[in-house]
Amino acid sequence: APFTPQSRIPDPNRMLQCYQQSTATLNMLRALAQGGYVDLRRVHEFSLDFIRSSEAATKYADIADRIDKALGFMHACGVSSDNPDFRQAEYFSSHEALLLNYEEALTRFDRQSGKYYATSGHFIWIGDRTRQIDHAHVEYMRGIANPIGIKAGPSLHPDELLRLIDVLNPDNIPGRLTVIVRCGADKIGDVLPKFIRAVQREGKVVVWSTDPCHGNTITSNSGKKTRPFHKILSEVRDFFQIHRAEGSYPGALHLEMTGLNVTECTGGVSDVTDESLNDNYLTACDPRLNAAQALEMAFLVAEMQDKISHVRRS
């Protein structure tokens, strides 16, 4: 729609439509997660049609072979592969708590615990633009008992981060608060160490997450909103290295991605270029990693996590 006063009039029916579509999506995920679609015995059957010739597909096939061998070994030892842990997956939903009218309508009081919960998602977070300590989003989030997150970008001073932590997690409960750092590849090296040192100095307990997508958004020469994949990879790599240097733990990865073969982020094994962005640019908002790029990212994170585990064991 054109950017006019008339087109920007709020339409509450869109919130109802959002709820209905979210319900349908969760029902589909529940059916897939519990209906055998994620059965580890079918790991070779997962669709990799559009990356079969890539290095990522070769790595995936190697991992799938190792999973098959592990399952075979356990079966030989008498462990049944019919165990639900092998056939089903547990999943949780998460989103930014941006529209407070929507969140408030789905907030429920639990009589047993005496606490309020947001039932719109298991985990919800405050965006980088709505984290003002005296504003409504922080006030709402401090009153619910869900695990919650807060986006932290370059404009956030470490002292302000500490004040937000005090408000949102005054009892310093482990797992209650996740700090989702979104700096951009060029700024994370300056910003993240200051955050970590401030939190460690005050003895605060948070989960550290990285959002390498939002801080690396640019406008391409063709006018499309995009994200260079090498910048996203660089920020993730720096996130792990900084935590290792500071003696803290990289806890989570926050991505915008899809299983579709879209052309929205440039680079990666799918070799999306500025000229090819229009080939399958489907997003209505932010550019997403496609399946091949997401798989490449997963391998990178697995390799870095393996290095961390090796260092700790030694």
Side-chain angles (χ1 to χ4, degrees), residues 161-227:
L161 173 60
L162 291 174
R163 288 194 292 271
L164 284 165
I165 293 173
D166 284 338
V167 170
L168 295 170
N169 190 21
D171 297 325
N172 211 24
I173 300 171
R176 156 69 173 170
L177 183 62
T178 297
V179 178
I180 309 167
V181 182
R182 40 95 79 220
C183 299
D186 299 332
K187 297 180 180 179
I188 188 171
D190 179 58
V191 174
L192 180 56
K194 296 176 182 177
F195 286 163
I196 295 173
R197 291 166 193 167
V199 168
Q200 289 177 333
R201 183 184 68 243
E202 299 301 321
K204 303 301 180 183
V205 180
V206 302
V207 177
W208 292 105
S209 175
T210 178
D211 168 7
C213 293
H214 282 86
N216 293 301
T217 306
I218 63 172
T219 301
S220 69
N221 294 331
S222 59
K224 292 288 187 182
K225 188 178 181 182
T226 189
R227 291 163 174 160

Side-chain angles (χ1 to χ4, degrees), residues 76-258:
C77 293
V79 179
S80 174
S81 57
D82 289 330
N83 189 306
D85 290 338
F86 296 142
R87 295 185 291 105
Q88 300 178 3
E90 193 174 22
Y91 73 94
F92 301 92
S93 62
S94 175
H95 63 262
E96 179 183 353
L98 179 61
L99 301 175
L100 291 184
N101 290 338
Y102 183 86
E103 302 300 338
E104 289 170 355
L106 293 171
T107 303
R108 301 290 183 268
F109 180 72
D110 177 47
R111 295 183 183 276
Q112 288 188 330
S113 65
K115 297 176 181 179
Y116 286 93
Y117 286 89
T119 65
S120 62
H122 298 95
F123 174 97
I124 58 179
W125 74 83
I126 307 173
D128 194 46
R129 298 179 183 88
T130 55
R131 52 168 166 71
Q132 294 83 357
I133 200 164
D134 58 346
H135 284 203
H137 289 81
V138 171
E139 178 66 18
Y140 171 77
M141 295 286 267
R142 78 180 186 90
I144 59 174
N146 302 56
I148 59 173
I150 179 170
K151 289 283 186 81
S155 63
L156 180 64
H157 191 276
D159 289 342
E160 186 181 0
L161 173 60
L162 291 174
R163 288 194 292 271
L164 284 165
I165 293 173
D166 284 338
V167 170
L168 295 170
N169 190 21
D171 297 325
N172 211 24
I173 300 171
R176 156 69 173 170
L177 183 62
T178 297
V179 178
I180 309 167
V181 182
R182 40 95 79 220
C183 299
D186 299 332
K187 297 180 180 179
I188 188 171
D190 179 58
V191 174
L192 180 56
K194 296 176 182 177
F195 286 163
I196 295 173
R197 291 166 193 167
V199 168
Q200 289 177 333
R201 183 184 68 243
E202 299 301 321
K204 303 301 180 183
V205 180
V206 302
V207 177
W208 292 105
S209 175
T210 178
D211 168 7
C213 293
H214 282 86
N216 293 301
T217 306
I218 63 172
T219 301
S220 69
N221 294 331
S222 59
K224 292 288 187 182
K225 188 178 181 182
T226 189
R227 291 163 174 160
F229 186 61
H230 74 276
K231 289 280 191 180
I232 296 173
L233 283 177
S234 175
E235 185 162 355
V236 172
R237 196 175 285 113
D238 286 350
F239 176 76
F240 275 80
Q241 291 173 350
I242 290 168
H243 278 288
R244 181 177 176 181
E246 297 295 332
S248 55
Y249 297 88
L253 180 63
H254 177 104
L255 296 174
E256 288 190 294
M257 54 177 283
T258 175

